[in-house]
Amino acid sequence: MAIHYHLLLLHLILILSIISIQTLAAYACIAVEREALLTFKAGISDGIRHSLSSWDESQDCCRWRGVVCDNTTTRNILELNLGNPFDWYSQRINWTDYALSGEINPSLLALNHLSRLDLSNNNFFRVSIPEFIASFHNLTYLNLSNSEFGGKIPRQFGNLSKLHSLDLSGSVFIGTIPPHLGNLSSLRYLSLNWAFNDTSIPNADNLEWVSQLASLEYLDLGSINLTNAIDWLHIINKLQSIKVLLLSYTSLPSIPNSLSYVNFTGLTTLDLSDNWQFNTTLPHWLWNLTDLSYLNLRDCPFHGKIPNALSNLTSLTYLDLGYNNLEGPLPRSIEKLCNLRGIDLSYLGIGGDIRELVGMLGYTWNNMEEINLSSNNLQGNLSNWLEQMPNLKHLDLSNNSLIGPVPLGIASLQNLNFLDLSSNSLHGVVSEAHFANLTKLNHLQLSSNSLIISVGRSWIPPFQLTVLALGSCQVGPQFPAWLRWQRQINYVNLYNTSITSTLPHWLWNLPIQVLDLSYNQISGRLPAYLKSTKFQILTLKSNNLEGPLPPLPDGLEWLDLSNNFISGPLSKLLPTSISYLLLSNNSISGSIPSSICELTNMWVLDLSANHLSGELPRCWLQGSSLGLMDLSNNNITGEIPPSMGSLTSLQSLDLNSNNLDGELPSELQHCKNLVLLNLGNNKFSGKIPAWIGERLQNLVYLKLASNMLDGNIPPQLAQLVFLQVLDLSDNKLSGSIPRSFGNFTGMIYSVSNSTYHHSEFAIPSMLWNIDYALVEQVFSRAIVGSFSYAYKLDLVIKRNSYTYSKILNLLRTMDLSGNNLSGVIPGEIGALRHLINLNFSGNHLVGMIPDKIGDMLSLESLDLSSNNLSNGIPQSLSKLTFLEYLNLSYNNLSGRIPSGSQLDRLDDPSIYIGNAYLCGRPTSKNCSGDTAAPNSTSNYANGSETSMWWLYLGMGVGFVAGFWGVYAVLLFHTTWRCAYFRMIDNFVDNIYVTVAVRMNRIKNKYG
C-alpha cells in the first residue's frame, strides 16, 4: 500500500513539474525582445559594480534588473528602468560605480510596447539623444535627466503623442528648445532644468509652444536662458492646469506688475528666484494665487514695501523673500499666514530686536519648522523665545548682531537638524547640556563668536553631524575628543580655535572630506597613512607641523600646509586630482620634480619661501590648467624654460627672489592670460622685450625689478591698458623715459580688466566633487576669499618694503628708480591721475620738474631724489593733497621751496637735502631779501627741451625786430641819420681824448 502511495505521489510531482515548466515557458519574455536587450547591453559599460549583471541569457529577461513585462500571457516588455540609484551631485563616488555609459543601440526598437524609459543619472559623455527614441509611440514616461546627453533636443520628440512625463534636465544640449515639444498634447510633466551647456546665450526663441500644452501641471525651465521670452507671463497665464511652475535663474527679461485676468489660480508652487532683471515692486497678481503653498522670490531683486496683501496667501507653507531690496518692517498681516512652516528673510536688512519679530508672527512662530533670518541687522538675544519652538528643524540666524549666551533651553528643540548662529556677538559657555536632546542635529555652525565650547573628554554626543563649524570659538587646548564618535562627519571647520595639541590618530579614520584646522598651534607630523583618507580639501595653514610630506589621498583637490615647518623633498607622486597645492613658507628642499608637469588639473601651485633648488622643470604641457604659479623666494637657478610658454591658462607667474638668469624667453608671449608677472630679484639680462606690451594685453601687475636688464625701455609697454603696477627699478636701463608712459589707461582711469578680478582667483569650475556652496558658507572665514586665492606682490613704496595682497587691486604705482635713465621727465606723466606712487630716483634725469605733476591728484608718494634736476620746484605740487611722502634730495634744484596745505605738513628738511640753492622752510636757509629767486617754471611747464627752443626763438625775433626798427629809421630819415652818426663820432672822440690824456699823465708820473 505504501509503495502505491509513493508511486502516486511521484507521478503527481512529475505532472506538476511539467505543468510548471510549460507555464514558465508561456510566461517567459519574448525572444526577439530579449535579444534586443542583449544587443543593447553589448554596447553599454555598466560600471565597476556591473549593474546589468543580472542580464543573463539563461534567465527570463522579465526578471532582469530594470525590466518590467506585461503580466498577461503576451509578456511584452513595458518598462525599462535603468536609472542610476545614486545622484551625481550628492553621491558622486557611488554614482561613478553604477553609471551606465556607451552607445544606445537601435535594437531597442524591437520593444514595440515600451511605455516607460528611464536612463537617468548615467553618463553618456555628451552623445546626442538617439532620434529613434521618438519612434516609441506608446511611450508615456521618458526620463533622460542628469546623464550628460548633448547635441540638440530631437524635434522628433514632438511625435510622442502619448507622453505624459518628459525629463531632460541636467543635460548639456546645444541650440534652443524645439517648438515641436508643443505637440505633446498629453504632457503633464516637463523638466528642462539645467538642460543646456551654454546659458550665456538664449536657449529658447520664445515660449509660444508652451501655450499648446493644455494638460501641463508641472513645468521646470530653471537655469536656462529665457532672455527672449518677453511674453512669458501671458503664455503661462493660458495654462489652466498648471500647479508647479519653476523658473529660477532663467534671465527672464521682466515681470509684469499686473494681469487683466489671472487664469492659473490653481498654482501651488511658484519659484522665480535668481532673476536679476526684475528690479520692480512685488507684482499685484501674486496675491490672487490663493492656492500657493510654496513661494520663492529670492534674489530678483524686488524693491518697495511688502504689501499687506501677502496675507491673502493663507495656504502658504513656505515663503522666501531673501536677497531682495525690500524696505520697511514686515506687515502685521503676516500673522494671518497660519499655515506657514518655513520662512527665509535673509539679506533684507531687517533691524530691531529679534523678539519683536517673533511677537509679530505670533502663533505662527511656534509652528515654524524652518527659519532663515541670516545677514540682517537683528539685535537682542536668544533667551525666552527660542526654546518655545518645538517643531523647529532648521534655524539660521548667522551674520547678525545677536548678543548674550546660547540658552540652555535650546536642548528642548528635539527636531532640530540644522543650527547656524555663526558671525554674531554671542558669548558664554556651550556645554553638553545644550545638546542633551538634539538627537537629530546634523549641521552645527557656531563660528565667529566668543563662545567657549566646554564638554568633557569622555562625552559621547547624542547626534551624528555631517557639518561642524566652530571657527574662532575656544575649543582647545586639546583636540575635541568627542569628534571620534561622529561617523558621518564630512565638513569640519576648527579654524583658529586655540588647539595646541597633536592630532589624534582616530581623526584620519573619520569620513571627513573637508577639514580646516588653520591658525592653531597644532604640532607633530602628518601620518604616513594619510593616503588612505577621504580628504578632498585639507588645510592646516599656520600651525607647527613638521616632518616630510607623506603620500596624499588620491581624491585630494585642495591642500594648504603653508606657514608650517614641513621639510624634505616634494613628493614625485602627487595625486592627479590636485588642483590647489599651497606649501609656501616651509622648509621643503630639493628640486621641483618633473612629474608636476603631468598634473593637468593643477590650478594653483604655491611653493614660495622654501629651500627649493635646481632648475625649473622643462616639461610643461599644452592644455595644462595651471593658472597661478608662485615659486618666489627659493634658490632656483638656470633659465626660464621655453616650455612654460605652453601654460596658456597662466594668469599669475611669480619667480621673484631666485637665482634665475638669461634672457626672457620669447615663448612667454603665448601666455596671453597673464595678469601678474613678477620676475624681480633675479639675474635676468638683455633687453626688456617689446612683446610684453604687444602680446600680454591682460597684464595688470609687472615687476622686473632688481635684475641686470639693459637698453632702452620699450615704449610698447604703454599698450598695456590695464597695467596698474610697473616696477623696473634697480636694473641697468638707459635712454629716456618714453613719452607714451602717460598713456597707461589703468593709471589714468579706474578701469578694470573685466576678464579677471584684479586681486584674486575664483575657484575653477573643474572642482565639482564637493558641494562648494556649502563649503563656501562653512569655511568662508577660514580660507582666503571664500575659496579663492589672492594675488600677492612685494613692492618698495616710501622707501619701505610691503607685501600687498587683498588690496593689491587698489594700488597704482610706477617705479623706475636705480637705473641709468637720462633726459627729462616727460610732462605726459601728469596724465596718470590715479597713480599713487611715482619713483624716478637714482637716475640721471635733467631739466625741470614738470608742472603737470601737480595734476596727479591721487599721488601719495613722490621720489625724484638723486638725479640732476634743476631750476625751481613747481608750485603745483601744493595741489597734491594726498601726498604723504616726498623726496627731492640730491638734485640741482634752486629757488624758494613752494608752500601749500600739504607741502607745509611735509616739514622734514631731509626732503630737500643736497640742493644747495634751495631756500625757505623747512630748510634753515632763508631766501635773500625774503624774496624768491626768479622761478621761471612756466618756460619748462612741459618738462622738455622744447621750451628752450621757444626761448632762443623769442630772443632772436626780438633782436631782429629791435635792430631793424632802429636801422630802418636811420636809413630813410637823412636828418636823423646825420645826427645819429655825429653823436657817435663825438662820443668816440671824447672817449679817445679822455684815454689819451690819462695815459700821458701816467707816463709823465712814472716815466
Side-chain angles (χ1 to χ4, degrees), residues 87-92 95 121 146 170 194 768-771:
D87 188 348
W88 183 90
Y89 297 99
S90 60
Q91 300 170 305
R92 186 173 182 183
W95 171 84
N121 291 317
N146 300 312
W194 279 114
W768 286 342
N769 289 359
I770 307 171
D771 183 354

Side-chain angles (χ1 to χ4, degrees), residues 40-41 43-48 50-53 55 65 80-85 95-104 118-125 146-149:
F40 164 76
K41 179 186 176 183
I44 291 292
S45 171
D46 56 355
I48 62 175
H50 302 294
S51 53
L52 298 184
S53 59
W55 289 30
R65 173 188 172 271
L80 202 55
N81 299 313
L82 300 179
N84 189 340
W95 171 84
T96 303
D97 292 349
Y98 287 88
L100 301 180
S101 60
E103 181 183 354
I104 301 176
D118 184 354
L119 296 175
S120 61
N121 291 317
N122 288 296
N123 190 0
F124 289 101
F125 295 104
N146 300 312
S147 290
E148 285 283 300
F149 281 110

Side-chain angles (χ1 to χ4, degrees), residues 563-718:
N563 301 316
N564 278 282
F565 300 98
I566 304 297
S567 58
L570 192 63
S571 174
K572 296 181 179 180
L573 300 176
L574 294 171
T576 56
S577 58
I578 196 77
S579 294
Y580 275 52
L581 183 61
L582 313 175
L583 300 174
S584 63
N585 288 290
N586 280 285
S587 299
I588 299 173
S589 57
S591 60
I592 301 173
S594 58
S595 58
I596 208 163
C597 298
E598 301 171 7
L599 303 178
T600 54
N601 289 325
M602 180 84 75
W603 182 237
V604 172
L605 174 63
D606 188 350
L607 303 176
S608 60
N610 278 286
H611 303 310
L612 295 171
S613 57
E615 297 187 348
L616 292 169
R618 298 180 174 273
C619 51
W620 303 104
L621 304 173
Q622 190 77 33
S624 170
S625 300
L626 194 61
L628 184 147
M629 180 190 296
D630 189 348
L631 305 177
S632 60
N633 294 288
N634 281 288
N635 298 312
I636 301 172
T637 58
E639 300 181 352
I640 296 178
S643 64
M644 290 192 77
S646 301
L647 302 176
T648 54
S649 297
L650 206 60
Q651 295 181 27
S652 177
L653 176 61
D654 192 343
L655 301 176
N656 184 63
S657 295
N658 279 284
N659 291 310
L660 296 166
D661 53 31
E663 297 186 358
L664 304 185
S666 60
E667 287 79 6
L668 280 184
Q669 65 184 297
H670 302 305
C671 301
K672 296 180 180 180
N673 291 314
L674 274 174
V675 174
L676 183 149
L677 179 60
N678 185 359
L679 304 178
N681 296 286
N682 280 285
K683 298 176 182 178
F684 292 115
S685 58
K687 300 182 185 301
I688 297 176
W691 52 257
I692 291 181
E694 294 169 343
R695 304 300 299 274
L696 306 184
Q697 290 290 298
N698 288 302
L699 267 185
V700 180
Y701 315 107
L702 174 61
K703 180 180 178 182
L704 303 176
S706 300
N707 281 287
M708 296 184 290
L709 299 170
D710 55 26
N712 294 341
I713 299 175
Q716 291 88 343
L717 292 183

Side-chain angles (χ1 to χ4, degrees), residues 406 408 427-436 444 446 450-463 468 470 472-483 494 497-499:
V406 179
L408 282 172
H427 59 81
V429 176
V430 176
S431 64
E432 302 171 17
H434 288 82
F435 305 108
L444 176 61
L446 302 176
S450 299
L451 296 170
I452 301 172
I453 312 299
S454 179
V455 297
R457 296 285 296 172
S458 60
W459 180 54
I460 300 178
F463 48 71
L468 173 66
L470 301 177
S472 295
C473 295
Q474 184 176 330
V475 176
Q478 297 298 313
F479 193 85
W482 58 270
L483 264 179
L494 295 176
T497 50
S498 304
I499 297 174

Side-chain angles (χ1 to χ4, degrees), residues 188-501:
R188 299 173 187 170
Y189 180 104
L190 174 61
S191 178
L192 296 175
N193 186 288
W194 279 114
F196 287 86
N197 182 50
D198 187 358
T199 57
S200 65
I201 58 176
N203 302 134
D205 296 328
N206 55 64
L207 290 183
E208 287 293 338
W209 56 273
V210 174
S211 61
Q212 304 173 43
L213 304 177
S215 301
L216 198 63
E217 299 178 1
Y218 183 107
L219 176 61
D220 185 358
L221 300 179
S223 301
I224 63 177
N225 191 323
L226 299 179
T227 303
N228 291 340
I230 298 174
D231 296 330
W232 69 271
L233 184 59
H234 297 285
I235 292 169
I236 297 298
N237 198 31
K238 298 177 182 179
L239 303 178
Q240 295 185 9
S241 301
I242 194 73
K243 296 184 182 301
V244 177
L245 179 60
L246 307 178
L247 297 175
S248 66
Y249 193 56
T250 49
S251 301
L252 290 170
S254 61
I255 182 169
N257 200 267
S258 61
L259 287 171
S260 58
Y261 179 74
V262 181
N263 197 36
F264 57 111
T265 54
L267 200 66
T268 61
T269 299
L270 176 61
D271 188 350
L272 297 176
S273 60
D274 296 299
N275 281 289
W276 305 311
Q277 290 82 4
F278 285 174
N279 195 23
T280 183
T281 56
L282 291 167
H284 301 312
W285 53 264
L286 277 175
W287 321 126
N288 293 323
L289 305 178
T290 54
D291 287 346
L292 270 184
S293 63
Y294 179 97
L295 177 60
N296 190 346
L297 302 177
R298 185 179 185 84
D299 198 9
C300 281
F302 291 110
H303 59 261
K305 294 185 177 181
I306 302 174
N308 286 318
L310 176 64
S311 61
N312 295 350
L313 308 182
T314 54
S315 300
L316 211 57
T317 60
Y318 182 84
L319 173 64
D320 190 345
L321 297 176
Y323 279 87
N324 280 290
N325 299 320
L326 299 170
E327 307 163 0
L330 293 176
R332 300 291 305 185
S333 59
I334 197 172
E335 63 185 4
K336 296 181 181 180
L337 304 181
C338 299
N339 293 307
L340 202 60
R341 297 296 178 268
I343 190 168
D344 189 333
L345 302 176
S346 58
Y347 286 90
L348 290 184
I350 301 173
D353 195 307
I354 192 169
R355 285 172 292 190
E356 296 177 4
L357 181 60
V358 172
M360 183 184 300
L361 289 170
Y363 175 76
T364 302
W365 188 264
N366 296 333
N367 293 324
M368 283 289 184
E369 296 179 2
E370 181 175 346
I371 298 173
N372 186 350
L373 299 174
S374 64
S375 300
N376 283 292
N377 300 315
L378 293 170
Q379 302 171 355
N381 57 54
L382 304 176
S383 301
N384 300 324
W385 63 268
L386 182 58
E387 51 266 56
Q388 299 173 13
M389 306 176 68
N391 297 318
L392 196 62
K393 297 178 181 179
H394 182 115
L395 177 62
D396 189 348
L397 301 177
S398 62
N399 199 21
N400 279 286
S401 300
L402 302 175
I403 60 173
V406 179
L408 282 172
I410 199 173
S412 64
L413 306 180
Q414 298 182 18
N415 293 309
L416 196 65
N417 59 50
F418 183 104
L419 177 62
D420 188 352
L421 304 177
S422 59
S423 300
N424 280 284
S425 298
L426 302 173
H427 59 81
V429 176
V430 176
S431 64
E432 302 171 17
H434 288 82
F435 305 108
N437 299 313
L438 304 184
T439 57
K440 298 180 181 179
L441 192 67
N442 61 37
H443 189 122
L444 176 61
Q445 287 187 238
L446 302 176
S447 297
S448 300
N449 283 289
S450 299
L451 296 170
I452 301 172
I453 312 299
S454 179
V455 297
R457 296 285 296 172
S458 60
W459 180 54
I460 300 178
F463 48 71
Q464 285 292 322
L465 297 177
T466 57
V467 173
L468 173 66
L470 301 177
S472 295
C473 295
Q474 184 176 330
V475 176
Q478 297 298 313
F479 193 85
W482 58 270
L483 264 179
R484 72 182 303 173
W485 309 111
Q486 301 301 299
R487 302 300 183 185
Q488 299 174 16
I489 194 78
N490 295 137
Y491 301 83
V492 176
N493 174 7
L494 295 176
Y495 155 93
N496 189 29
T497 50
S498 304
I499 297 174
T500 60
S501 64

